[in-house]
Amino acid sequence: MTIDDITAIAETAIFTIIKCAAPLLLVSLCVGLIISIFQTVTSIQEQTLTFVPKILAIFLMLMLTGHWIMNQMIEFMVSLWSDFGAYIR
């Protein structure tokens, strides 16, 4: 196993992590931005106001995209384990 193989595995792993986390992070960002605008307009300066809506939005998004995220991770692991024989040489 060469350095190029390790780099390729690490690159694929990081890309898979980013691809799987992006929908949840984008939803959290959008909900936080909307609540921040609401707080600015209404002059409410409560720090904990964003917590519950963000958790609910992330949970809903996880329910919607959980199957796809799990398939992406399984696909990566299957490709990793299927090439295991080449890695130990």
Side-chain angles (χ1 to χ4, degrees):
M1 183 171 206
T2 65
I3 297 296
D4 294 333
D5 294 335
I6 295 170
T7 305
I9 292 170
E11 179 183 342
T12 307
I14 290 171
F15 182 69
T16 302
I17 291 168
I18 291 170
K19 191 167 53 170
C20 290
L24 301 173
L25 293 174
L26 288 174
V27 164
S28 177
L29 176 73
C30 291
V31 169
L33 183 64
I34 290 169
I35 292 174
S36 176
I37 291 171
F38 174 74
Q39 283 179 324
T40 302
V41 168
T42 60
S43 298
I44 298 173
Q45 297 301 321
E46 179 63 34
Q47 296 290 330
T48 60
L49 186 64
T50 61
F51 183 72
V52 173
K54 274 186 182 181
I55 291 294
L56 292 175
I58 289 173
F59 181 69
L60 179 66
M61 193 65 180
L62 193 57
M63 287 175 52
L64 294 173
T65 62
H67 182 71
W68 176 79
I69 291 171
M70 187 58 75
N71 281 338
Q72 294 295 315
M73 291 190 296
I74 289 171
E75 205 175 281
F76 172 68
M77 288 306 297
V78 165
S79 70
L80 197 63
W81 283 104
S82 65
D83 295 336
F84 190 72
Y87 298 147
I88 58 175
R89 289 185 192 167

